[in-house]
């Protein structure tokens, strides 16, 4: 186990979908495997799009494409995470804000580092000595990759961009299998004929794993003269494009070899951000646009909002808690779970746990109203208290069972919440 990682496996409580495969044990799955899968899937289902960046071999610009892709998405207003799982050559720690950064962990796992608004996590930050990975045997590497993927606390993201280990061996295989439902892969190659073999392998690899191919990027495609802007093809050209066409995969475009791309990396700067006026940055942005469109498509597919839906767009449900479940005596609970819900999508979108204030008659309704609650689901509650909540604009549901907040909110949204007697002994 990676030092500092949480030892316990969380059960999935991130949504209300009872039919979700995460909540069902698979045939022959051990307790441990089931718990690990639940933990991983409950983390990953909060990420709307997962894109892996692959290459047949190292040194072709895979990390450069991954970093610039993630940054382009972030600059377009998306919530983005960047995950560097390249066990042998983690290069992302050289990004600004990451050099010298140390990983912090909380009870649930490792916290990604915030780099200019983007969440970044690199295996390199965890390895005290990156050379150690070289001597790790296969199963050990796979174990580290799995543990790492399971233990990063991303929370809600629009995109997670994953910089995979190069090649088509066990390491990228583990990454794709563990992450599971990927939106697709971007395959990076160089223009020489020799790379054709590698790019073919990468495409076949994705097809065998059922990972959709978002497209091929040909990097270092010609040298762009920093003085006159003319492109000279030093290496033979076009291999990435012709293989993509040959194998029926979208060709995303060619990035020239540009001294400022290398300079940006050496200075620990993200090229598309800090060299935005360079024409190569425009080329990169155009290459990334089909990946950005993944999200735009999602947005277009959402139902058109009416004024009423907009008003209802955010709901905050307060649940008095004791020992992780609803406390039957709301006035004496230990804490409140504040569950944010999208009532149109009928989805839980967040949770905040707050310590309950000291017991004082009449204090809770304004205290919860101040924290944005507009509904309280409680076990028992007297008539007077119910009236005080209503005065604060907080609706009240009483007689709910001592269940987890996610379960209660899920049932409430599905219209299946069973309420019993309003047992209140206060
Ligand atoms: P990989 O992840 O495939 O090993 P990197 O992204 O680390 O490759 O790139 C290898 C080196 O090539 C880095 O020093 C990087 O700055 C440089 N590089 C990548 N793409 C370009 C480019 N288009 N022009 C100039 N240098 C580049």
């Amino acid at each position: 186990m990676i030092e500092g990682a949480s030892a316990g496996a969380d059960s999935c409580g991130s949504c209300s979908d009872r039919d979700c495969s995460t909540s069902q044990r698979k045939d022959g799955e051990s307790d441990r495997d089931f718990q690990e899968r639940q933990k991983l899937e409950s983390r990953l289902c909060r990420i709307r799009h997962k894109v892996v960046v692959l290459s047949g071999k190292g040194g072709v610009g895979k990390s450069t494409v991954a970093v610039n892709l993630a940054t382009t998405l972030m600059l377009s207003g998306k919530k983005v995470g960047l995950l560097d799982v390249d066990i042998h050559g983690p290069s992302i720690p050289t990004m600004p804000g990451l050099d010298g950064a140390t990983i912090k962990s909380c009870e649930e796992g490792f916290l990604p580092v915030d780099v200019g608004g983007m969440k970044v996590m690199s295996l390199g930050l965890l390895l005290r000595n990156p050379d150690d990975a070289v001597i790790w045997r296969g199963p050990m590497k796979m174990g580290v990759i799995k543990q790492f993927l399971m233990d990063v606390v991303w929370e809600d993201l629009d995109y997670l961009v994953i910089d995979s280990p190069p090649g088509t061996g066990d390491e990228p295989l583990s990454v794709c299998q563990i992450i599971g439902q990927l939106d697709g892969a971007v395959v990076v190659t160089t223009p020489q004929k020799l790379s054709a073999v590698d790019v073919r392998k990468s495409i076949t690899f994705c097809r065998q794993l059922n990972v959709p191919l978002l497209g091929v990027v040909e990097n270092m495609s010609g040298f762009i003269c920093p003085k006159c802007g003319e492109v000279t093809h030093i290496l033979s050209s076009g291999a990435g494009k012709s293989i993509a066409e040959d194998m029926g995969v979208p060709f995303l475009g060619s990035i020239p070899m540009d001294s400022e791309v290398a300079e940006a990396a050496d200075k620990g700067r993200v090229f598309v951000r800090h060299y935005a006026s360079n024409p190569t940055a425009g080329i990169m942005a155009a290459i990334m646009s089909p990946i950005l469109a993944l999200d735009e498509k999602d947005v277009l597919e959402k139902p058109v909002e009416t004024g009423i839906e907009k008003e209802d767009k955010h709901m905050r449900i307060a649940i008095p808690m004791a020992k992780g479940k609803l406390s039957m005596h709301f006035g004496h609970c230990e804490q409140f779970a504040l569950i944010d819900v999208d009532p149109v999508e009928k989805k839980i979108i967040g949770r905040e746990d707050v310590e309950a204030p000291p017991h004082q008659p009449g204090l809770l309704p304004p205290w919860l109203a101040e924290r944005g609650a507009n509904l309280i689901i409680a076990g028992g509650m007297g008539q007077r208290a119910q009236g005080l909540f209503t005065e604060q604009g907080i609706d009240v549901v009483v007689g709910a069972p001592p269940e987890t907040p996610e379960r209660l909110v899920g049932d409430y949204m599905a219209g299946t919440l069973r309420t019993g007697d309003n047992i209140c002994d206060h």
Side-chain angles (χ1 to χ4, degrees):
M1 166 160 315
I2 297 172
E3 202 179 312
S6 59
D10 304 341
S11 63
C12 183
S14 58
C15 76
S16 55
D17 185 355
R18 300 274 194 75
D19 297 327
C20 171
S21 63
T22 306
S23 59
Q24 325 282 335
R25 188 191 289 265
K26 289 183 181 165
D27 282 348
E29 199 169 37
S30 69
D31 277 355
R32 190 194 159 111
D33 287 350
F34 179 45
Q35 281 177 346
E36 282 185 353
R37 185 170 62 81
Q38 277 199 319
K39 182 176 178 183
L40 181 70
E41 289 181 10
S42 64
R43 293 248 157 104
L44 295 179
C45 77
R46 295 178 65 177
I47 302 171
R48 295 179 42 231
H49 302 288
K50 298 160 206 108
V51 174
V52 63
V53 184
L54 298 170
S55 67
K57 61 177 177 197
V60 298
K62 173 179 55 61
S63 298
T64 304
V65 168
V67 171
N68 284 286
L69 167 60
T71 308
T72 302
L73 295 168
M74 186 201 63
L75 293 175
S76 308
K78 305 297 173 191
K79 270 177 113 175
V80 181
L82 173 64
L83 176 65
D84 172 14
V85 211
D86 193 343
I87 204 159
H88 295 298
S91 49
I92 286 175
T94 57
M95 279 179 73
L98 276 192
D99 212 1
T102 50
I103 299 228
K104 294 197 172 66
S105 59
C106 65
E107 215 177 297
E108 294 101 68
F110 300 117
L111 296 168
V113 181
D114 188 292
V115 180
M118 186 158 76
K119 292 184 171 184
V120 183
M121 179 54 89
S122 168
L123 199 45
L125 292 174
L126 281 175
L127 302 175
R128 286 206 191 92
N129 178 2
D131 296 339
D132 290 349
V134 178
I135 54 158
W136 288 351
R137 306 237 313 270
M140 193 160 172
K141 282 184 215 159
M142 299 325 129
V144 171
I145 289 175
K146 183 171 180 191
Q147 182 90 52
F148 181 60
L149 292 176
M150 236 170 28
D151 278 326
V152 184
V153 185
W154 294 106
E155 300 185 327
D156 297 319
L157 290 181
D158 294 319
Y159 286 89
L160 179 65
V161 176
I162 303 144
D163 185 3
S164 160
T168 49
D170 285 347
E171 293 162 31
L173 179 77
S174 298
V175 171
C176 293
Q177 282 179 332
I178 295 167
I179 299 271
Q181 309 236 315
L182 285 158
D183 285 61
V186 172
V187 176
V188 183
T189 185
T190 50
Q192 305 102 304
K193 289 232 165 68
L194 257 181
S195 307
V197 181
D198 295 314
V199 81
R200 263 187 198 283
K201 277 196 201 160
S202 297
I203 292 172
T204 309
F205 171 87
C206 290
R207 290 196 167 142
Q208 281 172 349
L209 291 177
N210 280 330
V211 174
L213 280 144
L214 295 168
V216 173
V217 174
E218 196 177 278
N219 188 31
M220 309 192 190
S221 189
F223 169 74
I224 192 159
C225 171
K227 296 217 170 95
C228 68
E230 194 188 332
V231 177
T232 313
H233 291 281
I234 302 169
L235 310 167
S236 57
S237 78
K241 186 167 192 233
S242 68
I243 299 283
E245 281 167 4
D246 194 34
M247 295 186 79
V249 173
F251 181 67
L252 296 172
S254 309
I255 304 171
M257 198 182 278
D258 186 321
S259 55
E260 290 202 324
V261 172
E263 183 185 290
D266 288 347
K267 289 189 172 164
R269 294 190 174 150
V270 180
F271 180 71
V272 287
R273 183 169 211 173
H274 295 274
Y275 295 74
S277 57
N278 180 316
T280 305
I283 294 174
M284 283 196 194
I287 286 176
M288 313 308 183
S289 59
I291 291 118
L292 186 60
L294 289 173
D295 204 50
E296 307 303 328
K297 207 167 129 228
D298 257 25
V299 172
L300 288 176
E301 280 167 2
K302 279 194 185 145
V304 180
E305 285 178 8
T306 65
I308 299 165
E309 281 165 345
K310 207 166 200 153
E311 247 180 55
D312 283 342
K313 191 81 190 151
H314 181 247
M315 225 179 132
R316 184 161 245 220
I317 303 178
I319 297 175
M321 303 279 294
K323 298 189 174 59
K325 294 193 168 167
L326 176 138
S327 155
M328 297 308 280
H329 308 301
F330 88 95
H332 294 272
C333 66
E334 295 161 6
Q335 52 177 195
F336 277 88
L338 298 172
I339 308 284
D340 291 307
V341 166
D342 178 339
V344 179
E345 300 272 355
K346 295 195 186 308
K347 240 174 47 183
I348 293 178
I349 50 176
R351 170 175 171 168
E352 189 189 344
D353 285 352
V354 285
E355 211 180 309
H359 183 57
Q360 198 183 316
L363 174 68
L364 277 174
W367 186 84
L368 282 172
E370 250 176 56
R371 281 153 187 81
N374 36 29
L375 174 79
I376 176 166
I377 297 181
M381 191 189 294
Q383 283 298 330
R384 206 178 87 79
Q386 287 187 41
L388 291 175
F389 275 106
T390 316
E391 269 172 38
Q392 293 287 339
I394 300 175
D395 292 332
V396 183
V397 172
V398 291
E403 279 293 352
T404 61
E406 282 78 11
R407 176 81 179 261
L408 293 166
V409 170
D411 286 353
Y412 173 77
M413 285 188 295
T416 55
L417 179 66
R418 288 185 183 210
T419 50
D421 292 335
N422 178 9
I423 306 155
C424 180
D425 55 2
H426 296 103

